[in-house]
Amino acid sequence: MDCSPTYCFPGFWNPFTIFWSRFSRSRRLHSLGLAAMPEKRPFERLPTDVSPINYSLCLKPDLLDFTFEGKLEAAAQVRQATNQIVMNCADIDIITASYAPEGDEEIHATGFNYQNEDEKVTLSFPSTLQPGTGTLKIDFVGELNDKMKGFYRSKYTTPSGEVRYAAVTQFEATDARRAFPCWDEPAIKATFDISLVVPKDRVALSNMNVIERKPYPDDENVVEVKFARTPVMSTYLVAFVVGEYDFVETRSKDGVCVRVYTPVGKAEQGKFALEVAAKTLPFYKDYFNVPYPLPKIDLIAIADFAAGAMENWGLVTYRETALLIDPKNSCSSSRQWVALVVGHELAHQWFGNLVTMEWWTHLWLNEGFASWIEYLCVDHCFPEYDIWTQFVSADYTRAQELDALDNSHPIEVSVGHPSEVDEIFDAISYSKGASVIRMLHDYIGDKDFKKGMNMYLTKFQQKNAATEDLWESLENTSGKPIAAVMNTWTKQMGFPLIYVEAEQVEDDRLLRLSQRKFCASGPYVGEDCPQWMVPITISTSEDPNHAKLKILMDKPEMSVVLKDVKPDQWVKLNLGTVGFYRTQYSSAMLESLLPGIRDLSLPPVDRLGLQNDLFSLARAGIISTVEVLKVMEAFVNEPNYTVWSDLSCNLGILSTLLSHTDFYEEIQEFVKDVFSPIGERLGWDPKPGEGHLDALLRGLVLGKLGKAGHKATLEEARRRFKDHVEGKQILSADLRSPVYLTVLKHGDGTTLDIMLKLHKQADMQEEKNRIERVLGATLSPELIQKVLTFALSEEVRPQDTVSVIGGVAGGSKHGRKAAWKFIKDNWEELYNRYQGGFLISRLIKLSVEGFAVDKMAGEVKAFFESHPAPSAERTIQQCCENILLNAAWLKRDAESIHQYLLQRKASPPTA
């Protein structure tokens, strides 16, 4: 599954990163009671005395009354004698249940005992069920809910303007039980024969291909659609959709039928995803050396959808914005986003679906792996995207921000109760998971890695596996101590800071390395410092793109000698920013590296990594923020989009922090100084020969300058916006976000009204979302209130309310306060809408992460103590920690930053 929010620049999407967090740590956390996670709820997995072999399931949804009827006939195995069957069941009413042992008479259940808290039902029988096989029959009814989980309704508008509803599913992690009583645990696999009874003018889809479509006896307007039997699979991967859709189709070169289903009249918008999917399936087949196991794969755009997408086997569901591309109205970042999400979900068809985690403890492996290989796939399909550099900014650095907190968690979290599962759909599972797999792949080498993957998938296909099983396969093919190395990364939270100093000894360079846990609050002060086994690469200016030396650092300190390194050559750790650690150089080593930023002799991903490490060291109070501002000025010649994107995010974090001071305008002047040279070089209009990355960079830079109030950018944005609104010259899709953001930030009520009108008129969800994400830029308290009210209106899809409120919180100091008040005032409605899903965590994080006053941490903590949100408990802890650490950062560095900015004003630096 992809649980994906937005980049720190509105209008650009961040693959699989749950926000960018504000970090630091403080002893006050403990006095506020923020460090201890609450006790886990008691939980027992289902008994193993009865298990399914096959589910024969028929469902009849009512798209007007929002209910459904279901008939289940499950071939089951009784392993030991029992007079009850315990299954998962939630929000379902069982009408009748019986069990018929093979060749024997039916035994009717005499009682249904629902344990609602544990989402279980116990079926009691009057006589003992003996070991052997039999058929369990259950008739039941349920509700097509509006919570975007289980079997739910999704609202859409027909081309003629009529509002209708589709019936769709989202089962991961534990919501198949809302559609039919089942053994809803990933290790309890079975085959499925699914039938849907639907209006004959509707499309009906499930995991497998249709094998029969026949009239329904009681109603001529209804048909029964039967699907082929699935392979052995987990319940969370079952899916069905009933609605109105068009589609485009092709066959992959391996002969798999690939379809993309779109809203009616928008088939054209499915062509890009179709092209990506058709290239991706053969890529994975070759990479894993295992064929795709189903005859077809459908990708479908769902109007109301909480996640980014979901990898249901053979029927992958997506938000419209993660699948649909309009050749004229979609921006470059959307195309890239669609390519990544398609790559992610199709990777799961093998890694997750064919071989499934034994329990949710191993969720990270599913998601971390897919979040890594999606980049490998996109790099194969679109080498011009320079996607691996973007990985560092999008996933690696975001994961490090979260993982530096006291309230982080290990990659591998022992999960018990289902309510704990949603908490680990976060940047640690996805982005740190992906980052350590990238490091592992680099450590092993591609050839042995592929062999190990094939061994793992072949050995465990149609079964379940744990993290250790993958390590064993990779150890067998590589001969390296994979489990020993990886356990230090997955079973303990955090990551190391490697401190390095150098000494010239004749013609060689002696390096002294030491590792300590990196903490967002500064140097680690605990007794027993955790240690990691760190694959370290070292490069020099002689050949910046290749490692001069590779070592495995398996102790707290070590010395290494680099042969034949001249005194004037620089030495850099972590070539390609692949190792999951931060580096602190001695001042002499850092000085020698800085010219490599200006003259671009350091590769882009290394320039990015160096800047990001320094910024994090400043946030943690290990170095001064002023030192980082000086380094940022060295990026004046920078051509690379991703390097600018990371700089932009870090300056955005600093701007948010300094919005709590009276010199916010000075940091905006700094932003304008840093970004205006590249803005002038790029201009507003694409030049011949430019590509994907130039389009991304132009949008980023113009948005940054416009938001900061750069005069020429603001004037041009207003002019182009006016032409766009009047229909004289429609803005290119890549310029819309920066222009919308700029005119709103510096506009009035009329501007907001025009923007809301554009939103209402927009036919494409991408455009609606683009507008929603920038509405919070407006500054007037009255208009901010209007935007917040709009967020909960019918105009905004439920899953998108979060980004509107988040945009307000991130837009200004007043917006932050207003958004927090709005959440408190409307908590009941918001919690009812998102409870138990990751959207509630996202809403909380986006809304409070920008505060930088100690007392706000206490206020946030107190509010959630009286308004519990169990699935967001860890997020709340992290937010409170971040607020305190923002406050500490501000106290520590605000005055020196202010003085530095004033000095720059007095004597501007020469480029």
Side-chain angles (χ1 to χ4, degrees):
M1 182 159 64
D2 158 39
C3 311
S4 310
T6 57
Y7 251 83
C8 46
F9 171 63
F12 190 67
W13 290 89
N14 180 357
F16 320 124
T17 316
I18 308 294
F19 323 109
W20 32 289
S21 316
R22 310 272 185 269
F23 297 146
S24 256
R25 184 183 61 161
S26 161
R27 293 194 180 107
R28 280 175 312 236
L29 298 181
H30 299 278
S31 65
L32 266 167
L34 298 178
M37 284 298 295
E39 282 182 37
K40 293 192 170 187
R41 290 170 60 182
F43 173 72
E44 280 181 27
R45 283 165 71 165
L46 292 169
T48 54
D49 49 7
V50 182
S51 57
I53 300 163
N54 167 267
Y55 292 86
S56 179
L57 177 66
C58 180
L59 290 169
K60 185 185 180 194
D62 186 321
L63 301 175
L64 297 175
D65 289 343
F66 307 135
T67 56
F68 62 89
E69 298 169 18
K71 282 184 183 297
L72 172 67
E73 288 193 18
Q77 174 97 38
V78 177
R79 296 179 191 281
Q80 57 192 66
T82 179
N83 62 357
Q84 58 183 34
I85 296 177
V86 183
M87 304 170 76
N88 291 114
C89 180
D91 303 334
I92 277 175
D93 289 323
I94 293 173
I95 298 162
T96 61
S98 67
Y99 180 78
E102 199 171 327
D104 212 334
E105 289 186 15
E106 199 168 14
I107 307 165
H108 287 275
T110 49
F112 317 135
N113 177 22
Y114 297 96
Q115 295 104 54
N116 291 338
E117 186 81 348
D118 289 329
E119 301 182 339
K120 290 175 183 172
V121 65
T122 301
L123 308 177
S124 302
F125 294 88
S127 57
T128 302
L129 312 181
Q130 297 299 331
T133 55
T135 304
L136 174 68
K137 293 184 180 179
I138 303 178
D139 287 2
F140 58 94
V141 291
E143 180 199 6
L144 286 175
N145 70 69
D146 59 356
K147 302 283 191 292
M148 294 186 285
K149 61 183 183 181
F151 198 14
Y152 71 93
R153 62 187 188 260
S154 171
K155 185 164 80 167
Y156 64 97
T157 307
T158 65
S160 64
E162 185 189 340
V163 170
R164 288 186 188 166
Y165 289 85
V168 303
T169 57
Q170 168 59 39
F171 290 165
E172 192 180 19
T174 55
D175 290 316
R177 62 193 65 174
R178 292 175 201 284
F180 57 101
C182 57
W183 288 265
D184 199 10
E185 295 182 359
I188 307 179
K189 290 188 166 187
T191 57
F192 289 82
D193 293 305
I194 291 172
S195 300
L196 296 173
V197 177
V198 301
K200 65 181 181 187
D201 61 349
R202 296 293 192 269
V203 171
L205 301 171
S206 188
N207 304 81
M208 296 296 287
N209 48 302
V210 175
I211 52 170
E212 188 181 11
R213 191 181 167 97
K214 61 182 184 184
Y216 190 64
D218 305 345
D219 186 343
E220 62 178 20
N221 295 313
V222 171
V223 292
E224 183 175 356
V225 183
K226 284 192 173 181
F227 299 90
R229 177 168 290 187
T230 70
V232 174
M233 63 187 284
S234 303
T235 49
Y236 81 90
L237 294 166
V238 172
F240 16 91
V241 173
V242 179
E244 295 175 282
Y245 300 94
D246 285 344
F247 67 86
V248 285
E249 78 175 324
T250 188
R251 281 199 180 270
S252 73
K253 70 177 188 191
D254 305 320
V256 178
C257 177
V258 185
R259 286 183 174 181
V260 175
Y261 283 84
T262 73
V264 173
K266 295 185 178 177
E268 177 82 7
Q269 294 178 20
K271 285 184 175 172
F272 177 73
L274 185 72
E275 176 196 331
V276 175
K279 281 184 185 173
T280 297
L281 284 175
F283 171 77
Y284 287 142
K285 180 199 160 217
D286 294 344
Y287 195 86
F288 298 132
N289 199 16
V290 174
Y292 174 72
L294 305 187
K296 64 95 176 175
I297 189 159
D298 298 327
L299 293 73
I300 185 165
I302 304 292
D304 294 325
F305 198 75
M310 176 62 211
E311 68 268 18
N312 316 297
W313 215 358
L315 176 57
V316 187
T317 45
Y318 295 79
R319 276 193 188 198
E320 288 186 6
T321 49
L323 191 68
L324 304 182
I325 290 295
D326 180 327
K328 287 199 182 71
N329 293 302
S330 287
C331 59
S332 302
S333 58
S334 292
R335 299 173 85 83
Q336 178 176 300
W337 166 236
V338 167
L340 282 166
V341 182
V342 169
H344 181 96
E345 305 309 332
L346 296 197
H348 278 311
Q349 305 302 304
W350 285 262
F351 204 94
N353 300 8
L354 182 64
V355 177
T356 310
M357 69 223 146
E358 194 279 330
W359 185 246
W360 300 108
T361 298
H362 306 282
L363 170 78
W364 85 270
L365 194 57
N366 239 16
E367 296 304 346
F369 183 85
S371 299
W372 167 75
I373 206 168
E374 72 187 55
Y375 282 86
L376 198 71
C377 172
V378 168
D379 192 46
H380 165 78
C381 294
F382 303 98
E384 70 276 14
Y385 285 9
D386 182 30
I387 204 73
W388 280 116
T389 306
Q390 296 193 53
F391 174 89
V392 175
S393 181
D395 281 82
Y396 171 100
T397 60
R398 301 288 164 261
Q400 288 190 335
E401 287 176 12
L402 184 55
D403 205 27
L405 291 181
D406 283 355
N407 284 293
S408 181
H409 62 84
I411 283 180
E412 211 170 297
V413 176
S414 182
V415 172
H417 198 279
S419 67
E420 296 162 25
V421 178
D422 281 316
E423 273 201 84
I424 56 168
F425 280 106
D426 69 356
I428 300 297
S429 294
Y430 284 78
S431 299
K432 184 180 180 184
S435 298
V436 298
I437 287 170
R438 174 171 170 253
M439 176 171 69
L440 174 67
H441 173 264
D442 187 67
Y443 173 58
I444 293 175
D446 190 59
K447 188 178 168 192
D448 286 342
F449 188 87
K450 280 162 85 165
K451 276 189 199 162
M453 290 307 309
N454 172 260
M455 182 186 285
Y456 170 80
L457 289 170
T458 306
K459 183 176 178 181
F460 293 100
Q461 60 185 318
Q462 298 200 355
K463 299 192 188 88
N464 296 79
T467 302
E468 291 71 27
D469 297 313
L470 179 60
W471 297 165
E472 189 183 332
S473 295
L474 292 170
E475 211 154 278
N476 283 336
T477 57
S478 70
K480 292 184 175 180
I482 304 305
V485 171
M486 293 308 289
N487 285 345
T488 68
W489 296 97
T490 66
K491 291 187 185 295
Q492 60 184 4
M493 74 180 203
F495 59 92
L497 171 65
I498 308 290
Y499 179 75
V500 55
E501 53 188 18
E503 183 187 335
Q504 190 72 26
V505 181
E506 295 178 348
D507 292 338
D508 303 335
R509 193 78 55 91
L510 171 68
L511 301 184
R512 292 188 192 85
L513 312 176
S514 61
Q515 60 159 303
R516 280 184 87 69
K517 182 179 189 296
F518 179 75
C519 299
S521 57
Y524 183 83
V525 291
E527 293 274 316
D528 301 317
C529 188
Q531 296 293 309
W532 287 264
M533 292 177 76
V534 193
I536 286 180
T537 52
I538 305 168
S539 59
T540 71
S541 47
E542 185 181 29
D543 188 357
N545 290 298
H546 294 94
K548 188 172 179 73
L549 185 67
K550 290 187 175 189
I551 56 170
L552 184 66
M553 185 176 182
D554 55 2
K555 42 186 178 278
E557 295 179 357
M558 65 192 298
S559 296
V560 294
V561 174
L562 291 181
K563 295 282 185 189
D564 304 319
V565 178
K566 297 183 179 69
D568 62 342
Q569 288 180 350
W570 52 252
V571 170
K572 184 181 181 299
L573 264 62
N574 205 3
L575 171 68
T577 317
V578 172
F580 197 75
Y581 57 90
R582 292 205 181 276
T583 308
Q584 185 184 1
Y585 295 96
S586 67
S587 52
M589 287 186 79
L590 183 60
E591 278 304 312
S592 70
L593 282 166
L594 294 182
I597 293 176
R598 274 187 187 273
D599 67 18
L600 309 178
S601 60
L602 269 172
V605 72
D606 291 295
R607 299 196 295 270
L608 188 161
L610 188 61
Q611 178 269 139
N612 198 282
D613 278 351
L614 289 169
F615 188 75
S616 295
L617 289 168
R619 287 174 91 173
I622 295 169
I623 63 173
S624 156
T625 306
V626 169
E627 294 308 305
V628 186
L629 291 173
K630 288 176 180 171
V631 170
M632 286 177 166
E633 294 188 90
F635 283 85
V636 64
N637 303 316
E638 182 57 56
N640 184 281
Y641 159 70
T642 312
V643 178
W644 276 113
S645 173
D646 201 68
L647 261 172
S648 168
C649 281
N650 288 340
L651 279 169
I653 289 165
L654 198 55
S655 292
T656 300
L657 184 79
L658 298 179
S659 68
H660 297 275
T661 69
D662 56 5
F663 59 92
Y664 177 71
E665 286 311 314
E666 272 86 347
I667 193 69
Q668 299 314 300
E669 289 302 317
F670 181 85
V671 169
K672 286 186 270 191
D673 287 348
V674 170
F675 278 82
S676 52
I678 180 74
E680 281 167 30
R681 286 203 298 276
L682 284 167
W684 279 80
D685 298 304
K687 300 174 181 65
E690 282 189 355
H692 174 79
L693 292 167
D694 301 293
L696 293 183
L697 181 56
R698 180 173 286 107
L700 175 82
V701 170
L702 292 174
K704 202 75 180 171
L705 286 169
K707 192 176 177 187
H710 182 257
K711 192 164 177 287
T713 305
L714 177 55
E715 286 170 1
E716 183 64 8
R718 281 176 171 155
R719 185 186 72 75
R720 289 181 182 240
F721 182 67
K722 185 170 180 286
D723 285 354
H724 176 72
V725 171
E726 291 172 359
K728 289 181 189 165
Q729 180 71 51
I730 299 301
L731 280 166
S732 73
D734 285 314
L735 287 179
R736 286 182 203 172
S737 274
V739 167
Y740 293 170
L741 176 74
T742 302
V743 298
L744 266 171
K745 174 86 190 272
H746 306 281
D748 55 16
T750 307
T751 319
L752 180 61
D753 287 343
I754 293 170
M755 205 62 86
L756 293 174
K757 189 177 171 192
L758 287 178
H759 180 277
K760 198 173 183 67
Q761 290 169 348
D763 179 45
M764 199 181 176
Q765 196 56 34
E766 179 188 324
E767 176 74 353
K768 285 187 186 290
N769 285 171
R770 196 172 8 240
I771 293 166
E772 287 160 3
R773 290 200 302 272
V774 298
L775 290 174
T778 192
L779 290 176
S780 126
E782 184 190 331
L783 298 181
I784 284 171
Q785 217 45 53
K786 186 172 180 178
V787 172
L788 288 168
T789 305
F790 172 76
L792 272 179
S793 72
E794 285 287 312
E795 296 289 321
V796 179
R797 286 185 178 168
Q799 70 266 27
D800 299 322
T801 295
V802 173
S803 54
V804 180
I805 298 172
V808 171
S812 62
K813 187 179 177 181
H814 181 81
R816 199 153 40 247
K817 288 178 180 167
W820 172 232
K821 183 177 186 305
F822 185 79
I823 283 174
K824 289 187 293 183
D825 292 347
N826 295 276
W827 178 249
E828 197 174 326
E829 181 177 349
L830 290 164
Y831 184 65
N832 187 42
R833 188 186 279 197
Y834 303 123
Q835 60 177 314
F838 50 82
L839 283 175
I840 198 77
S841 294
R842 185 163 302 169
L843 176 69
I844 293 164
K845 194 171 184 87
L846 281 175
S847 305
V848 304
E849 68 176 357
F851 287 115
V853 182
D854 286 354
K855 68 171 187 176
M856 279 308 302
E859 185 180 314
V860 170
K861 179 174 180 282
F863 178 79
F864 289 111
E865 277 174 353
S866 56
H867 301 80
S871 68
E873 280 167 347
R874 194 189 305 275
T875 298
I876 294 159
Q877 303 275 356
Q878 290 165 349
C879 288
C880 292
E881 184 176 346
N882 275 325
I883 292 167
L884 290 176
L885 295 170
N886 285 341
W889 186 14
L890 202 57
K891 281 177 196 157
R892 191 175 59 237
D893 277 4
E895 188 47 40
S896 60
I897 295 170
H898 191 196
Q899 289 309 313
Y900 174 69
L901 295 174
L902 290 175
Q903 283 166 17
R904 280 184 86 261
K905 226 178 192 174
S907 53
T910 51

